Amino acid sequence: MTSLAVLAVAGCGSGRTGGGGGEGIVVGTTDKIFSLDPAAAYDNGSLLPETQVYQFLLNLPPGETTPTPDAAQECEFTDPITYTCTLREGLKFANGNPLTSASVKFSFDRMLGINDPNGPASLLGNLDKTEAVDERTVRFTLKEANDQTFPAVLTTQAGPIVDEKVFPADRVLDDNEVVNGKPFSGPYSIVSYDKNKLVEYQANPDYDGALGTPKTDTISTRYYATTENMKLDVQNGAIDVAWRSLTPTDVDSLRAESSVTVHEGPGGELRYFVFNMNTMPGDTPEQKLAIRKAIASSIDREALAANVYKGTYTPAYSSVPQGFPGAVEPFKEIYGAKPDKDAAARFLADAGVATPVDLNLQYNSDHYGSSSSEEYAAIKTQLESTGLFRVNLQSTEWVSYQRERARDAYPIYQLGWFPDFADPDNYLTPFFGPNNFLQNHFEDPAITAQLVAESTEPDTTKRLAIIEAVQADLARDHISIVPLLAGKQIAVAGNDIQGLEQTLDPSFRFRFGVLSK
């Protein structure tokens, strides 16, 4: 999933118009919806509507990190490779169709069958088969026993339950077809949809699940091309909430506003760039690795954190951010906290790589915040200042970016990540396991074996030792990504909007149901 979680809410001064109209609330965002079909959606922009309109077997209520029954009445391991869930009685979709164990089986079979390159099917790598035992009982058989993460996986973007009478089994459904089919069983239904312009939600009176009854019946999301217009609208009350992604400068200026308060939630967001292992520069695997090591030796993360992000991010020296169990900093230990031009030059020379190396570096201009332009301009300067690289910097709008990166169009490219669940494995398996989300042609049998071992090890001490070891091995011998920065969630709220503190939690879910005026 994706990047900087910054939330602003309008103050309640005399000029405020109450952008929601009546008791409704309008949420502004610069994030873009990639797809309303869960099989094709593995990004923060699509997670926002998914959180509101789909039901999951297990979910994460506000303030909780332990999976709780949602569509399920109960779930449990019935043996080390079998996880069984019993559904609540009388569940149905907004179109009136029943939600049964057949719906659950269809949803998981479909996710794995379509295996869309932009989708979250990689999270289900340990799922062998799904069975509908009876109308209310579903049974999952796992490939590896003692999976410590499977209940949490059911709460992720791999877990929405879809209507088998609306969604085709073998292809992604167009967003308008999704909306027209009304296959929603979550706290809200979508009642009007103008993609990435305006989406209107209405509370679902039949929802019975972990997230509870919504406090506000009508919520709308308004989509912005720039943070400037969104910031102006939230300041003058044209919208009630601005959610992702205000710039660090925006946040600083809003701290000075007497009518708003800046709130910080738990961190865990990761900013990084990815190497396409096939199309990146280098004539041999050895040369490609040397180039990756030289780049890793040339990045100044502290400068990025201080100069671009004003301290709202901290340097990241592993894919697992500090604060998570098992987090270590191998990129700092191996390549240094500061750029080392001499070490970078040695890596290239030892592999016979001629310099300067031409790098095509792609970043996204509208999904990870407008500061991405400044961030990647700084990275270009850092790399070129060594004299070892010549960087061709390019940017692409998010919807095209998502498609093109999965088609091998970008040799080196930016991504960001929010954890699907609060466990270090979620910063490892989705990135480096088989069929990984990055779609960058990285797979290594030894790394895969370590990932399986850590995710199935019930002894915490042993599991954390494996997690530490795999981070070191990835940084020393592979480097399929370069971690850059880790960020915190930030909210700026006025007095007339309540409930924001409940949704700024480690789950990284923005839940409309807790918001009220």
Side-chain angles (χ1 to χ4, degrees), residues 182-235:
K182 296 181 172 55
F184 309 126
S185 61
Y188 287 90
S189 293
I190 294 174
V191 294
S192 178
Y193 189 74
D194 189 357
K195 185 169 185 175
N196 293 328
K197 294 180 180 178
L198 183 67
V199 181
E200 298 179 4
Y201 299 82
Q202 185 72 37
N204 176 8
D206 295 320
Y207 173 68
D208 179 21
L211 301 187
T213 301
K215 294 182 178 180
T216 299
D217 285 340
T218 304
I219 304 277
S220 299
T221 50
R222 186 175 299 168
Y223 291 82
Y224 290 84
T226 67
T227 59
E228 291 85 354
N229 290 335
M230 184 171 68
K231 181 172 182 280
L232 287 173
D233 275 1
V234 79
Q235 284 179 314

Side-chain angles (χ1 to χ4, degrees), residues 395-429:
S395 67
T396 304
E397 183 268 340
W398 177 245
V399 174
S400 297
Y401 190 91
Q402 273 283 72
R403 293 192 182 99
E404 292 304 307
R405 74 167 185 88
R407 295 172 179 170
D408 293 343
Y410 308 145
I412 310 173
Y413 54 94
Q414 174 196 26
L415 281 180
W417 183 256
F418 279 117
D420 300 288
F421 50 92
D423 185 277
D425 177 78
N426 196 236
Y427 292 90
L428 295 170
T429 297

Side-chain angles (χ1 to χ4, degrees), residues 110-168:
R110 177 177 185 268
M111 179 73 69
L112 289 170
I114 292 176
N115 192 25
D116 190 275
N118 289 308
S122 60
L123 288 167
L124 299 175
N126 194 32
L127 177 58
D128 183 32
K129 64 180 177 179
T130 306
E131 299 170 278
V133 179
D134 57 40
E135 190 172 83
R136 291 180 52 212
T137 306
V138 61
R139 182 166 59 213
F140 299 99
T141 301
L142 308 181
K143 298 173 184 175
E144 301 287 342
N146 300 311
D147 188 340
Q148 304 301 297
T149 67
F150 190 72
V153 167
L154 295 179
T155 72
T156 70
Q157 284 186 279
I161 302 169
V162 301
D163 186 351
E164 68 272 31
K165 296 181 180 178
V166 173
F167 287 82

Side-chain angles (χ1 to χ4, degrees), residues 367-386:
H367 186 68
Y368 296 114
S370 58
S371 296
S372 289
S373 298
E374 186 180 352
E375 176 185 0
Y376 276 79
I379 290 170
K380 170 182 168 71
T381 298
Q382 290 176 7
L383 292 171
E384 290 187 337
S385 68
T386 65

